[in-house]
Amino acid sequence: MYAASFNEFCVSNPDAIAGELARCSRGTVDPTQLAAWLQQTRLLQALTLPSELAADARIYFEYEIPRLGRRADVILLVGHVLCVLEFKVGARAFADDALDQVWDYALDLKHFHEASHAVAIVPVMVATAAPVQSIDLQQTIHDDKLARPVRCNGMQICEAVMQALAFFNAPPIDADVWERGRYLPTPTIVEAARALYAGHHVSEISRNDAGARNLAVTSQTVERIIANARTRQRKAICFVTGVPGAGKTLVGLDVANRHLDSDSQTYSVFLSGNGPLVAVMREALTRDKVAQERQAGRKLTKGEARQGVEAFIQNVHHFRDDCLADPAAPPEHVVLFDEAQRAWDRAQTNDFMRRKRHLAGFDQTEPEFLIACLDRHPDWAVVVCLVGGGQEINRGEAGIGAWLDAVLRRFDTWDVYVSSRLDESEYHCEALLAQVQQRAHTHTDTELHLGTSMRSFRAESLSRFVRELLDLEVDAARATLNGLEGRYPIRLTRRLDRAKQWLREHARGSERYGMVVSAHAERLKPLAIDVRVASNPVKWFLDGKNDVRSSYYLEEVATEFDVQGLELDWSCVVWDGDLRYADGEWSHHEFRGTRWNSVRQEWRKRYLENAYRVLMTRARQGMVLVVPEGDSQDPTRCSEFYDPTYAYLRDLGLRDL
């Protein structure tokens, strides 16, 4: 990065500035980039700022935006305004993705750079060869001193800066204070995976507040357990708990990333049975690796990049099948199981083995078999279970109790490390946990629990509100919602078109938004929502605004099975008649043939409530809940299926659109 006072910059030799940028750059700088820097320098040195503004102004070239892993072309601090300038040298038009790019830089500073929270920020897109533009500054409905992107050509930069100064009224920016401001990012799981795979550690890519410190401490605690097991030649199983979005997956990825060398004695692997999560992260890492190599001037095919990624993140079922085929100990001494509570029970495992693997009479739960695979090592091994409470959403998911039961029945010599919060009701394992804790080799550790949601940087209490809403704790939910207002908007409506418009108005730059529904929401077809038409999670989560299969189009929906473990910035949750509020309790239903049938089994009721728990904890910045109007002409969509749910949500204090 190049930084200087504006007056010092204006009298510097452009070639010297470009040389300094090239010296600080990572990798080879091609002639096109050097020419772009020279052009940017000449255009900015030509700015005729009033002398009283120029005296205190500062300029920064190639300013790093750590969470996004990119650099803004120029940051210009002038008076009371921070301008983020993105140049497209030689361009005559303003591409939508380029406008989103400069808006993303500005948003990242506004959200995550401490000294920029209260600062007026104007993103400026400079297409140097474009025709003269009408410069019209506008704020968004967020009213947070962040303007919509301004378009200008190379000769209009000064005009854009002066209009920005006239548009906002704020105290002058102290450049020294601004430079010392801490950058406290909250990455999405995909962004975090990219950074970790690129060689960063969890402490480098997350916030520095109490929640993020807990994240780093938990990661270090798991590392100590691994080191202790290796030193003492012991076998250990470790249970890490956390609220939705707290970073359990991030801890697993961080530990696995430190031990990627297959020749190392601590070689480890990150496993997940969540197919969409694995597919989305693998594709994101593959695309990112190819782009990085291309930027460095090296050629790497997508297939070559994917090979390394697949070794980093594996599907637990492939690991299981490899262990079935080969009775020897696996190459990994450390295995980290994401969403361990979703491993299969004995009946589901037996049924799968009989139908798909032609193994009759298989009499183990999936947790029991997976632990047994690591138990084949003659010396030491560690199993790390990353556990989410209230996250079981599919038939045959055993919950964390199956892991504890396996330890009690077959692996009583293993050391056990449990989170101090594993005894909470949402984990459904109190009795088994009490038995495990009576063992001599069981240790309880407060540092194995992640209590702060990292997903929503706006509202850490979102998961608590959702739990209270689903547990029908009305007074508590009202109080929690009151604390959310102003930081994390949650709105309620009966009309899907209004919800879609709300998403489009609130999302800025490339902030991702989308519609999510329960997999049992089968009577939303009149709203053009058909859950039986499967979306492609990779396209839905990763592709852009010009792809009809992406979440942005608001045509295809994702269910709890598609989105668990992943996240959006803004979400629309459409509520069907499968989960209804009636007479002070939830009523659970499943649509079969031509009518709704009541759900009787307790485990199915719990899974249905968990589905809505997953759906309502996906958004980082805000969500809208849609409870449709009933239809008196359609007995499958009667008003009484929807109106009481709407009334309950409204009674909690949710505001109508």
Side-chain angles (χ1 to χ4, degrees), residues 520-523 525 532 576-578 580 588-599 604 634-637 641:
H520 295 286
E522 295 205 13
R523 290 308 300 138
K525 283 198 247 181
R532 294 179 300 179
D576 200 10
D578 51 341
R580 309 170 193 168
H588 309 74
H589 301 268
E590 180 181 34
F591 194 78
R592 289 283 185 89
T594 61
R595 64 191 181 92
W596 290 103
N597 296 309
S598 294
V599 172
R604 291 181 63 197
D634 183 351
T636 69
R637 301 182 67 245
F641 297 170

Side-chain angles (χ1 to χ4, degrees), residues 292-340:
Q292 286 180 3
E293 292 299 302
R294 184 184 300 122
Q295 189 174 11
R298 298 185 293 268
K299 185 177 180 181
L300 181 72
T301 68
K302 202 170 181 182
E304 291 169 336
R306 187 176 286 113
Q307 288 179 3
V309 170
E310 289 177 350
F312 179 40
I313 299 173
Q314 296 185 28
N315 190 298
V316 67
H317 303 309
H318 296 163
F319 178 86
R320 177 203 60 205
D321 290 348
D322 287 344
C323 290
L324 277 171
D326 185 353
E332 302 90 357
H333 275 76
V334 181
V335 175
L336 302 106
F337 292 105
D338 196 30
E339 296 177 11

Side-chain angles (χ1 to χ4, degrees), residues 98-405:
L99 288 165
D100 280 349
Q101 180 183 356
V102 69
W103 208 348
D104 286 347
Y105 294 158
L107 282 163
D108 219 60
L109 289 169
K110 174 63 68 175
H111 290 326
F112 305 121
H113 183 242
E114 249 184 352
S116 298
H117 291 335
V119 167
I121 302 178
V122 179
V124 182
M125 179 76 251
V126 185
T128 60
V132 172
Q133 302 294 303
S134 174
I135 297 176
D136 179 25
L137 269 79
Q138 299 177 10
Q139 287 201 74
T140 66
I141 60 174
H142 304 78
D143 193 27
D144 57 359
K145 296 183 182 177
L146 173 57
R148 291 181 177 276
V150 171
R151 299 170 173 85
C152 72
N153 66 22
M155 298 295 105
Q156 293 180 282
I157 301 173
C158 191
E159 180 187 355
V161 172
M162 297 307 295
Q163 286 206 26
L165 289 163
F167 185 79
F168 286 107
N169 182 20
I173 300 171
D174 186 321
D176 292 333
V177 171
W178 186 84
E179 287 181 3
R180 292 195 302 269
R182 295 182 304 167
Y183 183 78
L184 311 173
T186 303
T188 68
I189 187 60
V190 171
E191 290 167 345
R194 285 170 171 156
L196 290 169
Y197 193 59
H200 297 282
H201 293 308
V202 69
S203 58
E204 299 174 294
I205 60 172
S206 60
R207 306 181 316 207
N208 287 330
D209 60 11
R213 285 196 295 274
N214 187 203
L215 192 68
V217 165
T218 300
S219 185
Q220 292 163 8
T221 301
V222 173
E223 284 279 10
R224 282 199 304 271
I225 291 170
I226 294 170
N228 184 56
R230 181 190 172 197
T231 301
R232 298 175 57 230
Q233 296 290 283
R234 297 282 297 170
K235 292 171 183 173
I237 185 166
C238 168
F239 296 92
V240 176
T241 59
V243 300
K248 299 178 294 293
T249 299
L250 191 51
V251 167
L253 291 171
D254 184 47
V255 174
N257 187 63
R258 296 171 192 248
H259 307 285
L260 283 177
D261 183 1
S262 59
D263 294 325
S264 167
Q265 289 194 7
T266 57
Y267 180 42
S268 63
V269 63
F270 178 88
L271 301 177
S272 175
N274 184 336
L277 176 72
V278 171
V280 169
M281 289 207 296
R282 279 181 169 181
E283 178 65 17
L285 295 183
T286 298
R287 293 181 185 183
D288 194 52
K289 186 66 174 176
V290 171
Q292 286 180 3
E293 292 299 302
R294 184 184 300 122
Q295 189 174 11
R298 298 185 293 268
K299 185 177 180 181
L300 181 72
T301 68
K302 202 170 181 182
E304 291 169 336
R306 187 176 286 113
Q307 288 179 3
V309 170
E310 289 177 350
F312 179 40
I313 299 173
Q314 296 185 28
N315 190 298
V316 67
H317 303 309
H318 296 163
F319 178 86
R320 177 203 60 205
D321 290 348
D322 287 344
C323 290
L324 277 171
D326 185 353
E332 302 90 357
H333 275 76
V334 181
V335 175
L336 302 106
F337 292 105
D338 196 30
E339 296 177 11
Q341 75 282 352
R342 297 188 62 189
W344 290 344
D345 61 20
R346 182 172 281 100
Q348 182 76 1
T349 308
N350 176 282
D351 181 63
F352 175 85
M353 292 297 187
R354 177 180 53 80
R355 289 184 300 103
K356 299 294 187 179
R357 298 294 179 264
H358 309 295
L359 294 174
F362 193 89
D363 192 32
Q364 299 180 60
T365 63
E366 193 169 38
E368 186 177 351
F369 178 71
L370 292 171
I371 299 174
C373 294
L374 272 292
D375 198 46
R376 296 173 187 175
H377 283 289
D379 44 11
W380 71 279
V382 177
V383 174
V384 180
C385 295
L386 308 167
V387 186
Q391 299 289 296
E392 301 91 341
I393 57 176
N394 207 358
R395 180 177 182 177
E397 292 179 353
I400 207 62
W403 294 89
L404 298 174
D405 181 67

Side-chain angles (χ1 to χ4, degrees), residues 562-596:
D562 300 316
V563 302
Q564 190 172 47
L566 294 161
E567 55 219 335
L568 300 160
D569 287 293
W570 304 88
S571 73
C572 168
V573 181
V574 189
W575 204 299
D576 200 10
D578 51 341
L579 184 65
R580 309 170 193 168
Y581 182 82
D583 299 323
E585 61 184 12
W586 293 114
S587 180
H588 309 74
H589 301 268
E590 180 181 34
F591 194 78
R592 289 283 185 89
T594 61
R595 64 191 181 92
W596 290 103

